[in-house]
Amino acid sequence: MRRTILFGLLAILLGACDNKVKFTIEGNIEGAKDSVLYFEHVSLSGLKSLDSLKLGADGAFRFQADTTAAPEFYVLRIHDQIINISIDSTETVTVKAQYPNMAARYKVEGSDNCEKIRSLALMQQDLLRKAIALEQNQSIAPGDAQDSLRRMTDRYKQTVIDEYIFKEPNKTYSYFALFQTLGRWLIFNPKDSREDLRVFAAVATSWDTFHPGAARTENLHNIVIESMQQLYGDATAPTTRQGEGPAIVESGIIELQLPDKNNQTQALSALRGKVVLLDFHTFTLPESAQRILMLRELYNKYHEQGLEIYQVSLDQDEHFWKQMTQHLPWVCVRDGSLQSAVSYNVTDVPEFFLINRNSQLQKRSSQMKDLEAEIKALL
């Protein structure tokens, strides 16, 4: 009886040790009989093999792995043919492909992120084919070929920015898009282009909000900081010239330097040491007056304890905005270009963020049930 009990307890303990939440990648790959299919983790330090199997006549496969706290990336690979997969929750992703050339001939179900990654991968492959054809066309002068390639790449980047990255910068497919290549070269290179840096900064800020502390979030943060230092000099300086792209302070927030009603530039980084409510607002909203009253109440109650409001108006009518902000006691600035909203992934107003005394972005509105309680906690 004692032996039976011991074996029973051991079985329970072993089961508990393996009782981790897992995700599943399954499906079949036609035309790949006897090929070895590898399942690999795309870590920040390189590919790491997780599992493999020899495919049968039906090409069926099924892999499982532990779900991670933050989104991660994986590949299915046969020789040099790969299918990119992202996992951001406990899910089952189904892949149906045809070999050879399974990197282009596959379908995916169960994950919108994976479907968007498939679309991006096919677009990238098409761009590469066009670039190779352009390079091999002997009737085009080298200089003209370079100009054509630059225009093609610029069109590709703009499509990816508009239709993918700026729509949902917090998604894994937006992160994936940042690191696409054309041959050996990054399509988006934040160290060479201020526009590309702005794209990286938008994704970095969004990931810092939705996946704070994750390794990939920190990696994006470091890339943005290093790129800022290369393009602008000292990225931590609050004196970055206005109009030359987003300045990233040491903590990782995107710097805002916008004019107030007296045309004086107000820097978000200048409020370091205070708890900051970064508020994006439009005074033409029907509920604007009610919202301003709510902000006044918070400001009056907690300003002496260290609360400051940095309110970014997206109103297009400058005169109307100046009238509406004439008697407001907090920092009121205006951004008619909407670039600040893009940088902070603001798709609708009102929207707000909380920043702690160390200029670290803490939460956005969707992550807060009680704004006043969150402010008190930071104070």
Side-chain angles (χ1 to χ4, degrees):
M1 183 180 294
R2 285 197 300 270
R3 183 182 301 175
T4 302
I5 292 173
L6 286 173
F7 276 120
L9 289 172
L10 182 60
I12 292 172
L13 287 172
L14 289 175
C17 290
D18 194 41
N19 192 25
K20 296 181 178 179
V21 179
K22 295 181 181 294
F23 66 88
T24 302
I25 299 177
E26 60 186 16
N28 68 288
I29 301 176
E30 297 178 7
K33 180 183 178 183
D34 296 330
S35 297
V36 176
L37 176 65
Y38 293 92
F39 174 44
E40 298 170 323
H41 174 213
V42 186
S43 71
L44 290 174
S45 58
L47 287 175
K48 295 182 179 180
S49 180
L50 298 179
D51 203 350
S52 64
L53 60 82
K54 189 174 182 179
L55 295 172
D58 62 355
F61 66 89
R62 188 173 190 268
F63 297 118
Q64 282 193 320
D66 295 336
T67 302
T68 54
E72 272 301 337
F73 296 85
Y74 305 85
V75 296
L76 298 171
R77 179 176 64 84
I78 299 178
H79 299 301
D80 61 346
Q81 288 289 301
I82 66 169
I83 294 173
N84 290 285
I85 302 290
S86 75
I87 299 293
D88 64 357
S89 63
T90 306
E91 55 192 339
T92 296
V93 178
T94 302
V95 177
K96 297 181 179 180
Q98 295 179 340
Y99 188 82
N101 197 25
M102 71 176 192
R105 303 172 66 192
Y106 78 94
K107 295 181 179 180
V108 60
E109 298 174 355
S111 170
D112 181 63
N113 273 305
C114 289
E115 174 56 31
K116 294 285 178 56
I117 286 175
R118 185 186 76 87
S119 298
L120 285 163
L122 294 179
M123 289 168 56
Q124 177 193 22
Q125 293 169 28
D126 183 57
L127 178 64
L128 180 59
R129 283 192 295 269
K130 290 177 179 177
I132 292 173
L134 192 61
E135 184 181 22
Q136 294 176 345
N137 191 335
Q138 300 298 318
S139 64
I140 302 177
D144 293 338
Q146 285 294 323
D147 289 341
S148 296
L149 179 59
R150 188 179 301 109
R151 287 194 296 270
M152 278 195 313
T153 305
D154 287 344
R155 286 196 298 269
Y156 177 89
K157 289 167 66 173
Q158 197 59 53
T159 298
V160 172
I161 290 171
D162 293 340
E163 298 182 11
Y164 293 85
I165 295 177
F166 279 177
K167 278 191 173 182
E168 294 182 300
N170 61 301
K171 298 295 187 179
T172 54
Y173 67 78
S174 293
Y175 183 104
F176 174 84
L178 294 181
F179 297 97
Q180 287 190 296
T181 60
L182 185 60
R184 295 176 300 157
W185 310 105
L186 279 171
I187 294 175
F188 291 96
N189 190 340
K191 294 186 177 181
D192 286 344
S193 164
R194 294 179 179 183
E195 178 60 28
D196 291 357
L197 173 59
R198 189 168 73 93
V199 176
F200 263 79
V203 178
T205 301
S206 188
W207 274 59
D208 192 51
T209 300
F210 288 92
H211 311 294
R216 292 189 182 277
T217 301
E218 295 301 317
N219 181 54
L220 282 176
H221 169 80
N222 291 336
I223 290 172
V224 171
I225 293 295
E226 291 172 5
S227 301
M228 283 298 304
Q229 291 172 339
Q230 183 161 324
L231 288 176
Y232 295 103
D234 182 6
T236 67
T239 56
T240 302
R241 290 165 289 181
Q242 187 178 350
E244 294 192 352
I248 313 300
V249 300
E250 188 173 5
S251 60
I253 65 168
I254 296 180
E255 171 72 298
L256 298 180
Q257 295 188 357
L258 296 167
D260 64 15
K261 56 181 176 289
N262 298 315
N263 292 323
Q264 298 296 313
T265 298
Q266 300 290 341
L268 180 60
S269 61
L271 300 178
R272 186 182 182 93
K274 296 181 180 293
V275 171
V276 180
L277 174 61
L278 172 59
D279 185 67
F280 288 86
H281 186 73
T282 301
F283 284 89
T284 54
L285 290 172
E287 64 272 24
S288 174
Q290 183 179 354
R291 180 171 178 77
I292 293 300
L293 286 174
M294 182 272 290
L295 292 178
R296 271 188 178 275
E297 183 177 349
L298 288 173
Y299 187 86
N300 292 339
K301 189 181 293 186
Y302 298 108
H303 177 64
E304 294 299 324
Q305 299 178 41
L307 173 69
E308 187 55 80
I309 298 175
Y310 188 98
Q311 187 171 54
V312 182
S313 167
L314 304 180
D315 290 282
Q316 296 301 302
D317 188 332
E318 183 178 4
H319 178 69
F320 171 72
W321 164 72
K322 286 184 176 181
Q323 284 185 317
M324 299 304 294
T325 58
Q326 185 175 1
H327 300 295
L328 295 182
W330 52 78
V331 180
C332 298
V333 296
R334 191 180 74 92
D335 182 11
S337 71
L338 309 184
Q339 288 194 13
S340 60
V342 170
S343 297
Y344 275 88
N345 185 30
V346 173
T347 58
D348 198 9
V349 290
E351 177 62 288
F352 58 90
F353 303 78
L354 275 182
I355 300 169
N356 69 15
R357 293 181 186 272
N358 294 320
S359 289
Q360 294 171 326
L361 193 66
Q362 296 298 293
K363 294 180 180 180
R364 68 187 301 150
S365 62
S366 59
Q367 297 173 300
M368 291 182 271
K369 294 182 180 180
D370 188 333
L371 174 58
E372 184 170 359
E374 297 283 355
I375 290 173
K376 289 169 67 175
L378 291 179
L379 289 172

